[in-house]
Amino acid sequence: MQHGKYRFIGGFLVTPLVLYAVFVIWPFIQAIYYSFTDWTGLSPDFKMVGFANYTRMLDDDVFWKSLQHSLLFALLLPLVTLGLALFFAFMLNVGGRRRKGAAITGVRGSGFYKIAYFFPQVLSIAIVALLFRFAYNPNDGVLNGTLTAIGLGSVQPDWLGDPNLALWCVMAVLLWSTVGFFVVLFSAGMASIPMDFYEAALLDGANRFTTFFRITLPLLWDTVQSGWVYMGILALGAEAFAAVQIMTVGPGGPDYSTTVLPLYVYQSAFRDANAAYATTIGVALLIVTLLFAAIVMRLGRRERLEF
Amino acid sequence: MGSTSAENSKPEGVGRRDLIKRSAALGLIAAPTMGFLSACASSDSGSDDKAKTGKKTTKNPLGVNETAALSVVIFDGGFGTKYATDANAEYKKAYPKVKIDFHKTQKIQSELQPKFNGGTPPDLIDNSGAEQMDMGVLVGKKQLTDLTPLLDAPSIDDPAKKVRDTLRPGIVEMGQFDGDPVWIMYYAYTVYGVWYSQTALEKLDSTYPEDWDAMLALCAKAKKKGIAGWTYAGKHPYYLPFSLYPFIAKIGGREVLDKIDNLEPNAWKDPAVKAGFEAYYELYKKGYILKGTPGIDHIQSQTAWAKGEALFIPNGSWVENESASVIPSDFNLAVGAPTGLDSSDKLPFGTIWASGGEPFIVPAKAANPAGGMEQLRIMLSEASSKNFTSQVKSLSAFNGGTDGIELTPGLKSGVAALEKAGDNVVNPRLQDWYVKLQKEQIGVAGLGEMMAGRLTPAEAIKKIQGYADAAAKDQSIKHFKHQ
């Protein structure tokens, strides 16, 4: 029954493939093409300039700074976010002990916590960033107010105005706004782990720590891995851009301490009217993102456990 | 487990014929791809369907087609858009058959860039706000209509007068880049300077200081009462130049600013720049800057200032409209020309920065450029100008037009400051010629860092000179010179 097999499969695939090519592949090709031109973005005429944009990029301090910050976001943020989310999800689903006769439950009040964690997820990143902009206000923001209230009136950081703190402030906001999503994601993953495993572990006298590392984490590995890629892409792309654009000095400052690649793309295209250079940085961002996904997939590969 | 697909039973690899077939197919796809790509970026459709011009008459000196549609895009910012829709209504009164397509937005560039690229821009644009399109690039790429016909047309109020003769000083020059054509019509007229509350100064038994010793003494006095001397938009430190640049011009003469604008080597190393920077740095060192200022934005700093937490804020005349809701009724808003350094200053006290704001442009590929210009001519009439001034508390480019309307305190002090300045109005161009240099590099990375105490004046000057030199060398930026 080989006859016409490809035609048959192709018939089904052709529409989605064409759509994918037009709306996904095509813009990538276009971007790469434009990165070899001197297109301003404000006028239809431009010419090819070879690798001029790329040599300029390699010479550009701001590019390297934003690359560094983006990489820091992509490495550190998933680590902390997923670590916290795993911890919270574990406590919410498995962490409690011996109540109502059930062997496996969450800690007391876990239903409430679940909602509390998920709450930031219903706010758009723009709103979250705006809220935190007020919280970080050094004069009448919540943070410095709290410091004063607990007797630390002498410690009044400038938060977003301080180049040593600004990047961490932005990271904290992204952490706050995304951790809830992963708590829910991991909770769902944990719900599909058979009870018997936990009961067996309990009978053997395993504590929470062992239960987590011997049972929960290995069985949840696939979810964690996709979560890692997803979080990394959030941190490299839109979410980091929005937070930096809305909250920081300049934006991107003070003194370039918070620029990230997507912000630099945006500024080159829409402020400096240098769309060609923006696409060049965009290509660099594409490469970084692909490398990130490839590395995570590669490092995270392990034997699949079946149950 | 291997897969059971039938492919594995075939011989491995790709044959030579296959390879040729496939690369041919790839070529077939790739060639039109590139063709389409370049076609896409350089599509050029709009230019053919321009509206026919109408008959030129005394009532219609620009030859507006009385039936051609007019499309207007207005930046919806601190001034709102009512003044523009009012002007549209006037246009409609003059040409009743016209359909006006009005659109307001804060995202000028993201909405209009594709239209410029596709050759279908609107007929009149208020190119303002954070997403302003780079004027240098628009001019360099020949995307704008020369507005000279508008300037030479008779004004609405007095047909014996050309529009050009009804404008405030500097407006026409600001719209030029190099050479005669006028590409931009700045509609608002902004007074920049040090804004303060007359009431707050009176409470301290003081008047506005005219030299720097008096400034420091006043700040010391305020500090004793728990009031900071200054605050500024810490997140947008490019507000600082509004008072700092004219201060530098006052110390060293306007040539210093011209050299800076022309990106001349060592322009920033001028002693006047150093003196100005050191004076401002002293405000930081003596603790006269409101605490936390480097971490707050323009709204937050304006609010703190309006609440009386700080005496002075460098700003533009839009602050009166923008902060209207937080300025107390007994505030008695006033603008001061920058305080001078001492008696050796080259220019007298009163030297101030005033220049056009709200740049209006008529795209080169607009379907109805005559209509766009006619709309501007209507806006530059005395009635429309008065309407604008009374609505948004800002002067317009129309010279005069303030008689008979009640001026708000800030506006009144702005008019007085302009009168006092006389010829000593300076107009630094960095902010419209080199946006990135002015905002991000001089503003955030230089002045912002210095005023937060992280750079000394000498370090800041060195850093800024480096940025200016880099901008002068950068071939992707169009460079301009003062004529």
Side-chain angles (χ1 to χ4, degrees):
Chain A
M1 281 299 287
Q2 288 291 314
H3 184 69
K5 188 182 79 173
Y6 288 118
R7 210 181 303 159
F8 181 70
I9 297 174
F12 278 106
L13 283 183
V14 71
T15 318
L17 276 180
V18 165
L19 283 176
Y20 186 77
V22 169
F23 291 108
V24 180
I25 310 280
W26 190 250
F28 278 115
I29 299 173
Q30 268 186 314
I32 294 168
Y33 170 73
Y34 286 137
S35 71
F36 292 102
T37 67
D38 67 350
W39 184 40
T40 58
L42 284 177
S43 134
D45 41 287
F46 57 83
K47 57 180 192 299
M48 300 297 288
V49 292
F51 280 92
N53 285 318
Y54 286 90
T55 46
R56 178 195 170 122
M57 182 172 81
L58 297 180
D59 253 2
D60 184 348
D61 288 343
V62 179
F63 166 74
W64 289 111
K65 265 194 186 164
S66 37
L67 177 66
Q68 206 182 330
H69 297 149
S70 276
L71 287 179
L72 194 66
F73 269 73
L75 296 177
L76 208 56
L77 209 52
L79 191 71
V80 181
T81 313
L82 299 192
L84 267 180
L86 271 174
F87 173 73
F88 289 146
F90 182 73
M91 294 315 266
L92 288 184
N93 293 290
V94 192
R97 282 285 154 96
R98 292 186 197 92
R99 274 186 296 121
K100 295 181 203 154
I104 307 300
T105 59
V107 293
R108 208 176 295 269
S110 58
F112 169 75
Y113 291 136
K114 253 183 216 172
I115 295 170
Y117 287 138
F118 194 70
F119 183 65
Q121 197 61 37
V122 304
L123 299 173
S124 90
I125 183 71
I127 295 170
V128 170
L130 267 175
L131 286 176
F132 272 89
R133 193 162 85 176
F134 292 115
Y136 281 130
N137 181 336
N139 289 322
D140 36 21
V142 162
L143 285 175
N144 280 358
T146 314
L147 284 177
T148 315
I150 59 171
L152 285 170
S154 54
V155 189
Q156 297 278 299
D158 276 340
W159 300 115
L160 294 165
D162 185 336
N164 297 319
L165 286 178
L167 193 67
W168 305 109
C169 290
V170 176
M171 255 190 223
V173 173
L174 288 177
L175 175 67
W176 183 84
S177 68
T178 46
V179 79
F181 172 78
F182 292 100
V183 171
V184 173
L185 182 73
F186 294 152
S187 292
M190 283 177 197
S192 69
I193 298 173
M195 286 287 196
D196 327 7
F197 290 24
Y198 286 113
E199 281 167 1
L202 268 179
L203 286 178
D204 288 342
N207 58 19
R208 288 173 183 179
F209 190 78
T210 327
T211 319
F212 177 75
F213 280 102
R214 294 295 164 120
I215 297 181
T216 312
L217 190 56
L219 291 176
L220 213 57
W221 191 251
D222 278 351
T223 320
V224 174
Q225 199 185 348
S226 5
W228 189 289
V229 174
Y230 180 67
M231 186 63 213
I233 288 173
L234 277 191
L236 280 171
E239 306 277 288
F241 165 76
V244 170
Q245 162 82 2
I246 294 170
M247 293 185 358
T248 63
V249 173
D255 200 17
Y256 299 113
S257 62
T258 55
T259 42
V260 285
L261 285 177
L263 179 78
Y264 200 35
V265 170
Y266 175 81
Q267 288 181 333
S268 305
F270 296 114
R271 186 197 53 200
D272 308 340
N274 197 344
Y277 190 50
T279 56
T280 313
I281 303 160
V283 171
L285 180 60
L286 169 72
I287 293 169
V288 171
T289 315
L290 288 180
L291 277 179
F292 171 80
I295 290 170
V296 172
M297 295 311 240
R298 179 88 205 159
L299 287 182
R301 188 183 293 167
R302 45 164 83 184
E303 208 175 318
R304 200 189 175 99
L305 292 165
E306 307 225 351
F307 52 83
Chain B
M1 269 196 288
S3 82
T4 49
S5 107
E7 258 176 325
N8 285 0
S9 60
K10 277 196 196 165
E12 295 277 326
V14 181
R16 182 174 51 87
R17 278 166 161 277
D18 248 12
L19 193 69
I20 294 170
K21 266 196 281 182
R22 283 184 199 181
S23 52
L26 196 67
L28 275 179
I29 300 170
T33 303
M34 293 329 253
F36 184 69
L37 269 180
S38 39
C40 188
S42 57
S43 62
D44 186 0
S45 49
S47 52
D48 297 336
D49 32 80
K50 272 207 196 297
K52 278 199 201 111
T53 49
K55 220 177 129 202
K56 291 192 185 181
T57 61
T58 41
K59 277 202 81 182
N60 183 5
L62 292 164
V64 174
N65 179 337
E66 296 184 13
T67 54
L70 177 74
S71 61
V72 180
V73 176
I74 297 291
F75 171 68
D76 185 10
F79 290 154
T81 58
K82 185 158 186 303
Y83 73 93
T85 46
D86 288 351
N88 284 163
E90 290 294 316
Y91 188 95
K92 192 118 189 151
K93 231 187 265 170
Y95 308 99
K97 277 177 259 170
V98 164
K99 195 179 153 286
I100 297 180
D101 172 22
F102 176 82
H103 180 63
K104 60 176 179 180
T105 179
Q106 299 201 340
K107 308 217 157 295
I108 292 288
Q109 174 134 11
S110 20
E111 288 190 18
L112 293 182
Q113 186 166 2
K115 299 201 168 183
F116 270 93
N117 249 325
T120 56
D123 303 316
L124 182 64
I125 302 167
D126 172 15
N127 181 22
S128 187
E131 275 206 20
Q132 185 177 60
M133 290 176 288
D134 193 302
M135 239 77 82
V137 176
L138 286 175
V139 172
K141 293 280 176 183
K142 304 199 169 36
Q143 294 294 309
L144 299 184
T145 301
D146 179 8
L147 301 178
T148 307
L150 163 70
L151 293 168
D152 291 334
S155 81
I156 296 254
D157 303 302
D158 179 3
K161 246 186 184 176
K162 288 179 178 176
V163 168
R164 154 189 320 273
D165 302 324
T166 66
L167 301 178
R168 288 185 187 275
I171 290 285
V172 175
E173 291 73 47
M174 267 194 88
Q176 296 172 324
F177 276 75
D178 25 31
D180 285 333
V182 179
W183 305 111
I184 305 163
M185 180 72 230
Y186 285 89
Y187 187 59
Y189 196 69
T190 306
V191 180
Y192 301 94
V194 182
W195 295 79
Y196 61 95
S197 154
Q198 189 63 45
T199 317
L201 290 196
E202 277 160 17
K203 272 189 200 150
L204 289 167
D205 291 322
S206 289
T207 51
Y208 185 79
E210 299 203 359
D211 67 44
W212 206 251
D213 287 337
M215 170 61 84
L216 293 175
L218 175 56
C219 288
K221 206 169 176 186
K223 196 180 180 189
K224 278 198 199 110
K225 296 242 164 106
I227 304 169
W230 285 61
T231 188
Y232 58 91
K235 282 193 183 168
H236 315 288
Y238 42 85
Y239 279 46
L240 283 165
F242 296 159
S243 62
L244 179 59
Y245 285 177
F247 180 37
I248 289 171
K250 179 170 169 6
I251 300 171
R254 58 175 84 226
E255 318 76 73
V256 184
L257 290 187
D258 286 355
K259 275 192 220 153
I260 286 175
D261 284 344
N262 292 344
L263 300 180
E264 280 177 28
N266 295 326
W268 288 90
K269 303 222 165 122
D270 194 283
V273 177
K274 190 151 180 283
F277 275 39
E278 273 168 357
Y280 272 49
Y281 188 63
E282 203 163 358
L283 294 174
Y284 160 77
K285 272 216 310 220
K286 296 212 158 128
Y288 297 155
I289 304 278
L290 178 70
K291 219 160 63 61
T293 293
I296 57 180
D297 64 18
H298 58 299
I299 300 290
Q300 289 161 342
S301 64
Q302 284 161 203
T303 307
W305 160 80
K307 283 199 291 190
E309 291 170 25
L311 290 180
F312 300 115
I313 191 167
N315 220 317
S317 43
W318 62 79
V319 68
E320 186 169 33
N321 204 34
E322 198 170 51
S323 300
S325 58
V326 289
I327 291 181
S329 54
D330 63 343
F331 196 74
N332 218 346
L333 178 69
V335 59
T339 300
L341 197 60
D342 52 39
S343 54
S344 68
D345 289 355
K346 291 245 173 71
L347 296 177
F349 175 72
T351 302
I352 204 163
W353 177 357
S355 65
E358 299 300 301
F360 277 76
I361 50 177
V362 177
K365 289 185 181 147
N368 185 7
M373 282 194 260
E374 175 67 9
Q375 176 69 86
L376 278 175
R377 198 172 75 96
I378 292 172
M379 288 169 68
L380 290 168
S381 70
E382 181 161 3
S384 292
S385 166
K386 267 188 183 164
N387 184 32
F388 174 77
T389 302
S390 53
Q391 263 179 33
V392 305
K393 306 185 182 86
S394 165
L395 297 173
S396 82
F398 179 79
N399 199 354
T402 52
D403 314 327
I405 49 176
E406 201 190 329
L407 296 182
T408 50
L411 199 51
K412 209 187 284 173
S413 86
V415 174
L418 283 177
E419 264 168 32
K420 183 167 171 56
D423 286 342
N424 295 315
V425 172
V426 293
N427 187 3
R429 300 301 297 276
L430 280 177
Q431 68 179 13
D432 51 309
W433 285 353
Y434 310 109
V435 180
K436 177 181 183 176
L437 176 67
Q438 164 72 4
K439 287 194 169 175
E440 183 175 297
Q441 298 179 324
I442 297 171
V444 179
L447 294 174
E449 290 299 283
M450 182 183 87
M451 292 307 279
R454 293 187 286 263
L455 288 179
T456 64
E459 285 164 349
I461 287 172
K462 196 167 159 236
K463 201 169 168 187
I464 290 173
Q465 184 65 57
Y467 288 133
D469 292 342
K473 267 202 316 212
D474 189 341
Q475 289 308 313
S476 72
I477 318 179
K478 191 165 165 55
H479 296 113
F480 302 101
K481 290 250 184 297
H482 277 279
Q483 303 290 324

